[in-house]
Short mmCIF file of all heavy atoms in Angstrom, two decimals:
data_model
loop_
_atom_site.label_atom_id
_atom_site.label_comp_id
_atom_site.label_asym_id
_atom_site.label_seq_id
_atom_site.Cartn_x
_atom_site.Cartn_y
_atom_site.Cartn_z
N MET A 1 24.65 7.00 -5.10
CA MET A 1 24.86 8.32 -4.54
C MET A 1 23.95 9.31 -5.26
O MET A 1 23.93 9.35 -6.48
CB MET A 1 26.33 8.70 -4.70
CG MET A 1 26.68 10.10 -4.28
SD MET A 1 26.55 10.34 -2.52
CE MET A 1 26.74 12.09 -2.42
N PRO A 2 23.22 10.07 -4.51
CA PRO A 2 22.36 11.09 -5.12
C PRO A 2 23.17 12.12 -5.92
O PRO A 2 24.35 12.34 -5.65
CB PRO A 2 21.69 11.77 -3.92
CG PRO A 2 21.85 10.80 -2.81
CD PRO A 2 23.08 10.02 -3.08
N ARG A 3 22.51 12.75 -6.88
CA ARG A 3 23.20 13.70 -7.75
C ARG A 3 23.36 15.09 -7.16
O ARG A 3 24.20 15.85 -7.60
CB ARG A 3 22.47 13.79 -9.08
CG ARG A 3 22.64 12.53 -9.89
CD ARG A 3 21.89 12.65 -11.18
NE ARG A 3 20.98 11.51 -11.19
CZ ARG A 3 19.85 11.47 -11.82
NH1 ARG A 3 19.43 12.48 -12.51
NH2 ARG A 3 19.10 10.39 -11.76
N SER A 4 22.52 15.44 -6.19
CA SER A 4 22.61 16.78 -5.62
C SER A 4 22.55 16.73 -4.10
O SER A 4 22.16 15.72 -3.51
CB SER A 4 21.47 17.65 -6.15
OG SER A 4 20.24 17.23 -5.59
N ASN A 5 22.90 17.83 -3.50
CA ASN A 5 22.85 17.95 -2.05
C ASN A 5 21.42 17.79 -1.54
O ASN A 5 21.16 17.10 -0.56
CB ASN A 5 23.44 19.30 -1.63
CG ASN A 5 23.88 19.30 -0.20
OD1 ASN A 5 24.58 18.40 0.23
ND2 ASN A 5 23.45 20.30 0.54
N ASP A 6 20.47 18.43 -2.22
CA ASP A 6 19.06 18.34 -1.82
C ASP A 6 18.54 16.91 -1.94
O ASP A 6 17.80 16.44 -1.08
CB ASP A 6 18.19 19.27 -2.67
CG ASP A 6 18.41 20.74 -2.35
OD1 ASP A 6 18.90 21.04 -1.23
OD2 ASP A 6 18.10 21.57 -3.21
N GLU A 7 18.94 16.24 -3.00
CA GLU A 7 18.52 14.86 -3.20
C GLU A 7 19.09 13.96 -2.10
O GLU A 7 18.39 13.08 -1.59
CB GLU A 7 19.01 14.39 -4.58
CG GLU A 7 18.41 13.10 -5.06
CD GLU A 7 18.89 12.75 -6.46
OE1 GLU A 7 18.73 13.59 -7.37
OE2 GLU A 7 19.42 11.64 -6.63
N ALA A 8 20.33 14.17 -1.72
CA ALA A 8 20.96 13.39 -0.66
C ALA A 8 20.25 13.62 0.67
O ALA A 8 19.94 12.67 1.39
CB ALA A 8 22.44 13.75 -0.52
N ALA A 9 19.98 14.87 0.99
CA ALA A 9 19.29 15.20 2.24
C ALA A 9 17.90 14.58 2.27
O ALA A 9 17.48 14.01 3.27
CB ALA A 9 19.20 16.71 2.41
N HIS A 10 17.19 14.67 1.15
CA HIS A 10 15.84 14.11 1.07
C HIS A 10 15.87 12.59 1.26
O HIS A 10 15.06 12.02 2.00
CB HIS A 10 15.20 14.47 -0.27
CG HIS A 10 13.83 13.93 -0.45
ND1 HIS A 10 12.74 14.45 0.22
CD2 HIS A 10 13.36 12.89 -1.18
CE1 HIS A 10 11.66 13.76 -0.12
NE2 HIS A 10 12.02 12.81 -0.96
N GLU A 11 16.80 11.94 0.60
CA GLU A 11 16.92 10.47 0.70
C GLU A 11 17.25 10.03 2.14
O GLU A 11 16.63 9.12 2.67
CB GLU A 11 18.00 9.97 -0.25
CG GLU A 11 18.21 8.48 -0.20
CD GLU A 11 19.31 8.02 -1.13
OE1 GLU A 11 19.35 8.49 -2.28
OE2 GLU A 11 20.13 7.20 -0.69
N LEU A 12 18.22 10.69 2.75
CA LEU A 12 18.60 10.33 4.12
C LEU A 12 17.45 10.59 5.11
O LEU A 12 17.22 9.79 6.01
CB LEU A 12 19.86 11.09 4.54
CG LEU A 12 21.15 10.68 3.84
CD1 LEU A 12 22.28 11.63 4.20
CD2 LEU A 12 21.52 9.24 4.15
N ASN A 13 16.73 11.69 4.93
CA ASN A 13 15.60 11.99 5.80
C ASN A 13 14.49 10.97 5.64
O ASN A 13 13.86 10.56 6.61
CB ASN A 13 15.07 13.40 5.56
CG ASN A 13 15.66 14.38 6.53
OD1 ASN A 13 15.75 14.12 7.72
ND2 ASN A 13 16.10 15.50 6.02
N ALA A 14 14.22 10.55 4.40
CA ALA A 14 13.19 9.54 4.17
C ALA A 14 13.55 8.23 4.87
O ALA A 14 12.69 7.60 5.51
CB ALA A 14 13.00 9.32 2.67
N LEU A 15 14.80 7.83 4.76
CA LEU A 15 15.25 6.61 5.44
C LEU A 15 15.17 6.76 6.96
O LEU A 15 14.77 5.84 7.67
CB LEU A 15 16.68 6.27 5.03
CG LEU A 15 16.87 5.79 3.59
CD1 LEU A 15 18.34 5.74 3.24
CD2 LEU A 15 16.22 4.42 3.40
N ARG A 16 15.55 7.93 7.46
CA ARG A 16 15.50 8.20 8.90
C ARG A 16 14.07 8.11 9.42
O ARG A 16 13.81 7.48 10.46
CB ARG A 16 16.08 9.60 9.18
CG ARG A 16 16.05 10.01 10.63
CD ARG A 16 16.55 11.42 10.81
NE ARG A 16 15.66 12.44 10.26
CZ ARG A 16 14.58 12.91 10.88
NH1 ARG A 16 14.25 12.47 12.06
NH2 ARG A 16 13.85 13.85 10.31
N ILE A 17 13.14 8.67 8.69
CA ILE A 17 11.74 8.66 9.10
C ILE A 17 11.17 7.24 9.03
O ILE A 17 10.43 6.83 9.92
CB ILE A 17 10.93 9.66 8.25
CG1 ILE A 17 11.35 11.09 8.61
CG2 ILE A 17 9.43 9.46 8.44
CD1 ILE A 17 10.88 12.15 7.64
N ASP A 18 11.52 6.48 8.00
CA ASP A 18 11.07 5.09 7.87
C ASP A 18 11.47 4.25 9.08
O ASP A 18 10.76 3.34 9.49
CB ASP A 18 11.64 4.42 6.62
CG ASP A 18 10.92 4.83 5.36
OD1 ASP A 18 9.82 5.43 5.46
OD2 ASP A 18 11.45 4.55 4.27
N ARG A 19 12.61 4.56 9.64
CA ARG A 19 13.12 3.80 10.78
C ARG A 19 12.84 4.47 12.12
O ARG A 19 13.29 4.02 13.15
CB ARG A 19 14.62 3.57 10.60
CG ARG A 19 14.89 2.56 9.51
CD ARG A 19 16.32 2.57 9.07
NE ARG A 19 16.63 1.48 8.17
CZ ARG A 19 16.31 1.43 6.89
NH1 ARG A 19 15.67 2.43 6.34
NH2 ARG A 19 16.64 0.39 6.15
N ASP A 20 12.08 5.56 12.07
CA ASP A 20 11.66 6.29 13.28
C ASP A 20 12.87 6.69 14.13
O ASP A 20 12.89 6.48 15.34
CB ASP A 20 10.66 5.45 14.08
CG ASP A 20 9.92 6.26 15.12
OD1 ASP A 20 9.76 7.47 14.91
OD2 ASP A 20 9.53 5.68 16.15
N LEU A 21 13.88 7.28 13.49
CA LEU A 21 15.09 7.71 14.17
C LEU A 21 15.12 9.23 14.29
O LEU A 21 14.68 9.93 13.39
CB LEU A 21 16.33 7.26 13.40
CG LEU A 21 16.48 5.76 13.17
CD1 LEU A 21 17.66 5.49 12.27
CD2 LEU A 21 16.63 5.04 14.49
N SER A 22 15.66 9.72 15.37
CA SER A 22 15.81 11.16 15.54
C SER A 22 17.19 11.59 15.05
O SER A 22 18.11 10.78 14.95
CB SER A 22 15.65 11.55 17.01
OG SER A 22 16.75 11.07 17.75
N MET A 23 17.30 12.87 14.75
CA MET A 23 18.60 13.41 14.36
C MET A 23 19.58 13.28 15.52
O MET A 23 20.77 13.06 15.32
CB MET A 23 18.47 14.86 13.92
CG MET A 23 17.76 15.03 12.60
SD MET A 23 17.76 16.76 12.14
CE MET A 23 16.49 16.76 10.90
N ALA A 24 19.07 13.43 16.74
CA ALA A 24 19.93 13.30 17.92
C ALA A 24 20.49 11.88 18.03
O ALA A 24 21.66 11.70 18.39
CB ALA A 24 19.14 13.66 19.18
N TRP A 25 19.67 10.87 17.72
CA TRP A 25 20.14 9.49 17.76
C TRP A 25 21.28 9.30 16.76
O TRP A 25 22.30 8.68 17.08
CB TRP A 25 18.99 8.52 17.46
CG TRP A 25 19.43 7.09 17.54
CD1 TRP A 25 19.41 6.29 18.64
CD2 TRP A 25 19.98 6.30 16.47
NE1 TRP A 25 19.91 5.05 18.32
CE2 TRP A 25 20.27 5.04 16.99
CE3 TRP A 25 20.26 6.54 15.14
CZ2 TRP A 25 20.82 4.02 16.23
CZ3 TRP A 25 20.81 5.53 14.37
CH2 TRP A 25 21.08 4.28 14.92
N ILE A 26 21.09 9.82 15.55
CA ILE A 26 22.12 9.71 14.52
C ILE A 26 23.40 10.40 14.98
O ILE A 26 24.49 9.85 14.83
CB ILE A 26 21.63 10.28 13.18
CG1 ILE A 26 20.48 9.41 12.64
CG2 ILE A 26 22.77 10.35 12.16
CD1 ILE A 26 19.76 10.01 11.45
N ALA A 27 23.27 11.59 15.55
CA ALA A 27 24.44 12.33 16.02
C ALA A 27 25.21 11.53 17.07
O ALA A 27 26.45 11.46 17.02
CB ALA A 27 24.01 13.68 16.58
N ARG A 28 24.50 10.93 18.00
CA ARG A 28 25.17 10.10 19.02
C ARG A 28 25.82 8.88 18.39
O ARG A 28 26.93 8.49 18.75
CB ARG A 28 24.17 9.67 20.10
CG ARG A 28 23.78 10.77 21.05
CD ARG A 28 22.99 10.24 22.23
NE ARG A 28 21.81 9.49 21.85
CZ ARG A 28 20.60 10.02 21.64
NH1 ARG A 28 20.42 11.32 21.76
NH2 ARG A 28 19.58 9.25 21.31
N ARG A 29 25.13 8.27 17.45
CA ARG A 29 25.62 7.04 16.81
C ARG A 29 26.93 7.27 16.04
O ARG A 29 27.81 6.41 16.04
CB ARG A 29 24.53 6.51 15.88
CG ARG A 29 24.85 5.27 15.13
CD ARG A 29 24.75 4.07 16.01
NE ARG A 29 25.04 2.89 15.23
CZ ARG A 29 24.59 1.71 15.53
NH1 ARG A 29 23.84 1.54 16.58
NH2 ARG A 29 24.90 0.68 14.79
N ILE A 30 27.03 8.42 15.37
CA ILE A 30 28.22 8.69 14.57
C ILE A 30 29.20 9.62 15.28
O ILE A 30 30.19 10.04 14.69
CB ILE A 30 27.85 9.26 13.18
CG1 ILE A 30 27.16 10.62 13.28
CG2 ILE A 30 27.02 8.26 12.40
CD1 ILE A 30 26.88 11.28 11.94
N ASN A 31 28.90 9.93 16.54
CA ASN A 31 29.78 10.76 17.37
C ASN A 31 30.01 12.14 16.75
O ASN A 31 31.14 12.61 16.64
CB ASN A 31 31.11 10.05 17.62
CG ASN A 31 31.85 10.64 18.80
OD1 ASN A 31 31.24 11.19 19.71
ND2 ASN A 31 33.16 10.53 18.77
N ARG A 32 28.91 12.76 16.35
CA ARG A 32 28.96 14.11 15.79
C ARG A 32 28.00 15.01 16.55
O ARG A 32 27.10 14.55 17.24
CB ARG A 32 28.54 14.11 14.31
CG ARG A 32 29.47 13.41 13.40
CD ARG A 32 30.69 14.25 13.15
NE ARG A 32 31.53 13.58 12.16
CZ ARG A 32 32.35 14.21 11.38
NH1 ARG A 32 32.46 15.52 11.43
NH2 ARG A 32 33.09 13.56 10.54
N ASN A 33 28.14 16.28 16.35
CA ASN A 33 27.30 17.29 16.96
C ASN A 33 25.91 17.25 16.31
O ASN A 33 25.78 17.09 15.10
CB ASN A 33 27.97 18.65 16.71
CG ASN A 33 27.24 19.80 17.28
OD1 ASN A 33 26.06 19.99 17.03
ND2 ASN A 33 27.96 20.61 18.04
N PHE A 34 24.85 17.45 17.13
CA PHE A 34 23.48 17.44 16.61
C PHE A 34 23.30 18.48 15.51
O PHE A 34 22.66 18.23 14.49
CB PHE A 34 22.48 17.71 17.74
CG PHE A 34 21.08 17.96 17.24
CD1 PHE A 34 20.27 16.90 16.89
CD2 PHE A 34 20.60 19.24 17.09
CE1 PHE A 34 18.99 17.12 16.40
CE2 PHE A 34 19.32 19.48 16.62
CZ PHE A 34 18.52 18.40 16.27
N VAL A 35 23.85 19.68 15.70
CA VAL A 35 23.70 20.75 14.72
C VAL A 35 24.34 20.35 13.40
O VAL A 35 23.79 20.62 12.32
CB VAL A 35 24.29 22.07 15.26
CG1 VAL A 35 24.27 23.16 14.20
CG2 VAL A 35 23.53 22.52 16.50
N TRP A 36 25.47 19.68 13.45
CA TRP A 36 26.14 19.20 12.23
C TRP A 36 25.22 18.27 11.45
O TRP A 36 25.02 18.42 10.25
CB TRP A 36 27.44 18.49 12.61
CG TRP A 36 28.28 18.03 11.45
CD1 TRP A 36 29.25 18.72 10.81
CD2 TRP A 36 28.22 16.74 10.82
NE1 TRP A 36 29.81 17.96 9.81
CE2 TRP A 36 29.19 16.74 9.79
CE3 TRP A 36 27.45 15.61 11.01
CZ2 TRP A 36 29.40 15.65 8.97
CZ3 TRP A 36 27.65 14.52 10.18
CH2 TRP A 36 28.63 14.54 9.17
N VAL A 37 24.63 17.30 12.17
CA VAL A 37 23.72 16.34 11.53
C VAL A 37 22.48 17.05 11.00
O VAL A 37 22.07 16.82 9.86
CB VAL A 37 23.32 15.21 12.53
CG1 VAL A 37 22.23 14.33 11.94
CG2 VAL A 37 24.54 14.39 12.91
N ALA A 38 21.88 17.91 11.79
CA ALA A 38 20.67 18.61 11.38
C ALA A 38 20.90 19.44 10.12
O ALA A 38 20.08 19.42 9.19
CB ALA A 38 20.16 19.49 12.51
N ARG A 39 22.02 20.15 10.07
CA ARG A 39 22.30 20.99 8.89
C ARG A 39 22.54 20.14 7.65
O ARG A 39 22.13 20.52 6.55
CB ARG A 39 23.49 21.89 9.17
CG ARG A 39 23.16 22.94 10.24
CD ARG A 39 24.30 23.87 10.51
NE ARG A 39 24.36 24.80 9.38
CZ ARG A 39 25.45 25.50 9.07
NH1 ARG A 39 26.54 25.37 9.80
NH2 ARG A 39 25.44 26.32 8.05
N LYS A 40 23.16 18.99 7.81
CA LYS A 40 23.37 18.09 6.67
C LYS A 40 22.03 17.53 6.18
O LYS A 40 21.77 17.50 4.98
CB LYS A 40 24.28 16.92 7.05
CG LYS A 40 25.69 17.30 7.45
CD LYS A 40 26.52 17.71 6.27
CE LYS A 40 27.95 17.99 6.74
NZ LYS A 40 28.82 18.39 5.66
N LEU A 41 21.19 17.08 7.11
CA LEU A 41 19.92 16.46 6.73
C LEU A 41 18.89 17.47 6.22
O LEU A 41 17.97 17.10 5.50
CB LEU A 41 19.34 15.67 7.90
CG LEU A 41 20.13 14.43 8.31
CD1 LEU A 41 19.46 13.72 9.47
CD2 LEU A 41 20.30 13.46 7.14
N LYS A 42 19.05 18.72 6.60
CA LYS A 42 18.14 19.76 6.09
C LYS A 42 18.64 20.35 4.77
O LYS A 42 17.95 21.14 4.15
CB LYS A 42 18.00 20.89 7.12
CG LYS A 42 17.22 20.48 8.35
CD LYS A 42 17.16 21.62 9.33
CE LYS A 42 16.44 21.23 10.59
NZ LYS A 42 16.42 22.35 11.55
N GLY A 43 19.84 19.96 4.35
CA GLY A 43 20.40 20.47 3.11
C GLY A 43 20.94 21.88 3.22
O GLY A 43 21.14 22.55 2.21
N GLU A 44 21.19 22.34 4.44
CA GLU A 44 21.69 23.70 4.64
C GLU A 44 23.17 23.83 4.29
O GLU A 44 23.62 24.92 3.96
CB GLU A 44 21.47 24.13 6.10
CG GLU A 44 20.02 24.27 6.47
CD GLU A 44 19.81 24.60 7.93
OE1 GLU A 44 20.80 24.70 8.68
OE2 GLU A 44 18.64 24.75 8.31
N VAL A 45 23.90 22.75 4.41
CA VAL A 45 25.32 22.73 4.05
C VAL A 45 25.57 21.55 3.12
O VAL A 45 24.80 20.59 3.10
CB VAL A 45 26.24 22.62 5.30
CG1 VAL A 45 26.11 23.86 6.16
CG2 VAL A 45 25.92 21.39 6.11
N SER A 46 26.63 21.63 2.36
CA SER A 46 26.91 20.55 1.42
C SER A 46 27.28 19.28 2.17
O SER A 46 27.81 19.31 3.27
CB SER A 46 28.02 20.95 0.45
OG SER A 46 29.20 21.19 1.16
N ILE A 47 26.97 18.17 1.53
CA ILE A 47 27.26 16.87 2.12
C ILE A 47 28.26 16.15 1.22
O ILE A 47 28.05 16.04 0.01
CB ILE A 47 25.96 16.06 2.32
CG1 ILE A 47 26.21 14.79 3.10
CG2 ILE A 47 25.25 15.78 1.02
CD1 ILE A 47 24.95 14.14 3.62
N THR A 48 29.35 15.72 1.80
CA THR A 48 30.36 14.99 1.03
C THR A 48 29.96 13.52 0.96
O THR A 48 29.09 13.06 1.70
CB THR A 48 31.75 15.11 1.68
OG1 THR A 48 31.72 14.43 2.95
CG2 THR A 48 32.16 16.56 1.87
N ILE A 49 30.62 12.80 0.08
CA ILE A 49 30.35 11.36 -0.03
C ILE A 49 30.65 10.65 1.29
O ILE A 49 29.92 9.74 1.69
CB ILE A 49 31.11 10.72 -1.22
CG1 ILE A 49 30.71 9.27 -1.44
CG2 ILE A 49 32.60 10.83 -1.03
CD1 ILE A 49 29.36 9.07 -1.99
N ASP A 50 31.69 11.10 1.99
CA ASP A 50 32.03 10.48 3.27
C ASP A 50 30.95 10.76 4.32
O ASP A 50 30.57 9.87 5.08
CB ASP A 50 33.38 10.98 3.77
CG ASP A 50 34.54 10.47 2.92
OD1 ASP A 50 34.38 9.41 2.28
OD2 ASP A 50 35.57 11.14 2.90
N ASP A 51 30.44 12.01 4.36
CA ASP A 51 29.36 12.35 5.29
C ASP A 51 28.11 11.54 4.97
O ASP A 51 27.45 11.01 5.86
CB ASP A 51 29.00 13.84 5.20
CG ASP A 51 30.14 14.76 5.58
OD1 ASP A 51 31.07 14.31 6.27
OD2 ASP A 51 30.09 15.93 5.17
N TYR A 52 27.79 11.47 3.68
CA TYR A 52 26.61 10.72 3.23
C TYR A 52 26.71 9.26 3.67
O TYR A 52 25.77 8.71 4.24
CB TYR A 52 26.50 10.83 1.71
CG TYR A 52 25.38 10.02 1.12
CD1 TYR A 52 24.09 10.51 1.08
CD2 TYR A 52 25.61 8.75 0.58
CE1 TYR A 52 23.06 9.77 0.54
CE2 TYR A 52 24.59 8.01 0.04
CZ TYR A 52 23.31 8.52 0.01
OH TYR A 52 22.29 7.77 -0.52
N ASN A 53 27.85 8.64 3.42
CA ASN A 53 28.03 7.23 3.77
C ASN A 53 28.01 7.02 5.29
O ASN A 53 27.47 6.01 5.76
CB ASN A 53 29.32 6.68 3.17
CG ASN A 53 29.19 6.46 1.68
OD1 ASN A 53 28.11 6.21 1.17
ND2 ASN A 53 30.30 6.59 0.98
N LEU A 54 28.58 7.94 6.04
CA LEU A 54 28.58 7.85 7.50
C LEU A 54 27.16 7.86 8.05
O LEU A 54 26.78 7.01 8.85
CB LEU A 54 29.40 9.01 8.08
CG LEU A 54 29.55 9.06 9.59
CD1 LEU A 54 30.39 7.89 10.08
CD2 LEU A 54 30.21 10.38 9.99
N ILE A 55 26.36 8.82 7.59
CA ILE A 55 24.98 8.93 8.05
C ILE A 55 24.15 7.75 7.55
O ILE A 55 23.36 7.16 8.29
CB ILE A 55 24.36 10.27 7.61
CG1 ILE A 55 25.09 11.43 8.30
CG2 ILE A 55 22.87 10.32 7.91
CD1 ILE A 55 24.75 12.81 7.74
N LEU A 56 24.35 7.37 6.30
CA LEU A 56 23.61 6.25 5.71
C LEU A 56 23.89 4.95 6.47
O LEU A 56 22.96 4.20 6.79
CB LEU A 56 23.98 6.09 4.24
CG LEU A 56 23.25 4.99 3.48
CD1 LEU A 56 21.75 5.28 3.43
CD2 LEU A 56 23.81 4.86 2.08
N ASP A 57 25.14 4.68 6.80
CA ASP A 57 25.48 3.46 7.55
C ASP A 57 24.80 3.43 8.92
O ASP A 57 24.32 2.38 9.35
CB ASP A 57 26.99 3.34 7.73
CG ASP A 57 27.71 2.97 6.45
OD1 ASP A 57 27.05 2.52 5.49
OD2 ASP A 57 28.95 3.14 6.40
N ALA A 58 24.75 4.57 9.58
CA ALA A 58 24.08 4.64 10.89
C ALA A 58 22.60 4.35 10.75
O ALA A 58 22.02 3.59 11.53
CB ALA A 58 24.30 6.02 11.53
N ILE A 59 21.98 4.94 9.75
CA ILE A 59 20.53 4.75 9.53
C ILE A 59 20.24 3.29 9.17
O ILE A 59 19.31 2.68 9.70
CB ILE A 59 20.01 5.71 8.45
CG1 ILE A 59 20.06 7.15 8.96
CG2 ILE A 59 18.59 5.34 8.05
CD1 ILE A 59 19.79 8.19 7.90
N LEU A 60 21.03 2.73 8.27
CA LEU A 60 20.78 1.36 7.81
C LEU A 60 21.10 0.30 8.86
O LEU A 60 20.73 -0.86 8.69
CB LEU A 60 21.54 1.09 6.52
CG LEU A 60 21.09 1.91 5.30
CD1 LEU A 60 21.94 1.56 4.09
CD2 LEU A 60 19.62 1.72 5.01
N SER A 61 21.77 0.70 9.93
CA SER A 61 22.06 -0.28 11.00
C SER A 61 20.80 -0.62 11.79
O SER A 61 20.80 -1.58 12.57
CB SER A 61 23.14 0.27 11.94
OG SER A 61 22.64 1.33 12.72
N VAL A 62 19.73 0.12 11.57
CA VAL A 62 18.46 -0.12 12.26
C VAL A 62 17.45 -0.62 11.23
O VAL A 62 17.22 0.05 10.22
CB VAL A 62 17.93 1.18 12.91
CG1 VAL A 62 16.57 0.97 13.54
CG2 VAL A 62 18.93 1.71 13.91
N PRO A 63 16.85 -1.78 11.46
CA PRO A 63 15.89 -2.29 10.48
C PRO A 63 14.60 -1.45 10.46
O PRO A 63 14.25 -0.80 11.44
CB PRO A 63 15.60 -3.71 10.96
CG PRO A 63 16.01 -3.73 12.39
CD PRO A 63 17.05 -2.67 12.57
N VAL A 64 13.91 -1.50 9.33
CA VAL A 64 12.62 -0.81 9.20
C VAL A 64 11.62 -1.53 10.08
O VAL A 64 11.58 -2.77 10.13
CB VAL A 64 12.15 -0.84 7.73
CG1 VAL A 64 10.77 -0.21 7.60
CG2 VAL A 64 13.14 -0.15 6.84
N LYS A 65 10.82 -0.75 10.81
CA LYS A 65 9.80 -1.36 11.66
C LYS A 65 8.68 -1.93 10.80
O LYS A 65 8.19 -1.26 9.90
CB LYS A 65 9.23 -0.32 12.62
CG LYS A 65 10.21 0.11 13.67
CD LYS A 65 9.58 1.04 14.66
CE LYS A 65 10.59 1.40 15.73
NZ LYS A 65 10.01 2.27 16.74
N ASP A 66 8.31 -3.16 11.09
CA ASP A 66 7.26 -3.83 10.32
C ASP A 66 5.94 -3.63 11.05
O ASP A 66 5.66 -4.30 12.04
CB ASP A 66 7.57 -5.31 10.18
CG ASP A 66 6.57 -6.04 9.29
OD1 ASP A 66 5.78 -5.35 8.63
OD2 ASP A 66 6.63 -7.27 9.25
N THR A 67 5.13 -2.69 10.59
CA THR A 67 3.86 -2.40 11.24
C THR A 67 2.79 -3.44 10.92
O THR A 67 1.80 -3.54 11.60
CB THR A 67 3.34 -1.00 10.85
OG1 THR A 67 3.24 -0.95 9.43
CG2 THR A 67 4.29 0.07 11.35
N ALA A 68 2.98 -4.23 9.85
CA ALA A 68 2.00 -5.22 9.45
C ALA A 68 2.16 -6.52 10.23
O ALA A 68 1.31 -7.41 10.13
CB ALA A 68 2.13 -5.51 7.97
N ALA A 69 3.19 -6.65 11.03
CA ALA A 69 3.45 -7.90 11.76
C ALA A 69 2.53 -8.12 12.95
O ALA A 69 2.51 -9.18 13.52
CB ALA A 69 4.91 -7.92 12.22
N LYS A 70 1.78 -7.12 13.32
CA LYS A 70 0.91 -7.25 14.52
C LYS A 70 -0.32 -8.04 14.23
O LYS A 70 -0.92 -8.11 13.29
CB LYS A 70 0.54 -5.87 15.02
CG LYS A 70 1.72 -5.17 15.61
CD LYS A 70 1.30 -3.83 16.17
CE LYS A 70 2.50 -3.17 16.82
NZ LYS A 70 2.18 -1.90 17.42
#
């Protein structure tokens, strides 16, 4: 678990970008409002351990795209 809200947002965004996922996809996957997800991932509002784990589980359910496999 990251030590700060900014660190958590940065980590989740890095994972989201690695997997080429949109915030809208995450919102649909976890059945939350897009604005809720966007504010959490931008670090605008605090993120609880439960929120962090919910978003992290959704992101990790998608494997990283292997661009070297071509």
Side-chain angles (χ1 to χ4, degrees):
M1 175 69 189
R3 289 179 237 153
S4 71
N5 200 49
D6 289 339
E7 193 177 305
H10 180 73
E11 179 181 316
L12 291 172
N13 265 315
L15 290 169
R16 179 184 68 82
I17 291 166
D18 282 347
R19 288 165 172 77
D20 195 28
L21 301 174
S22 69
M23 289 184 197
W25 182 90
I26 294 170
R28 285 190 304 272
R29 179 77 178 206
I30 64 175
N31 198 27
R32 293 284 185 153
N33 181 307
F34 170 81
V35 174
W36 184 90
V37 172
R39 292 182 75 200
K40 297 286 184 180
L41 293 180
K42 290 179 182 178
E44 294 176 358
V45 294
S46 62
I47 187 165
T48 66
I49 186 71
D50 291 335
D51 298 340
Y52 176 83
N53 286 332
L54 182 66
I55 295 169
L56 182 63
D57 287 345
I59 292 170
L60 294 179
S61 70
V62 176
V64 176
K65 291 185 177 182
D66 185 11
T67 57
K70 290 183 178 182

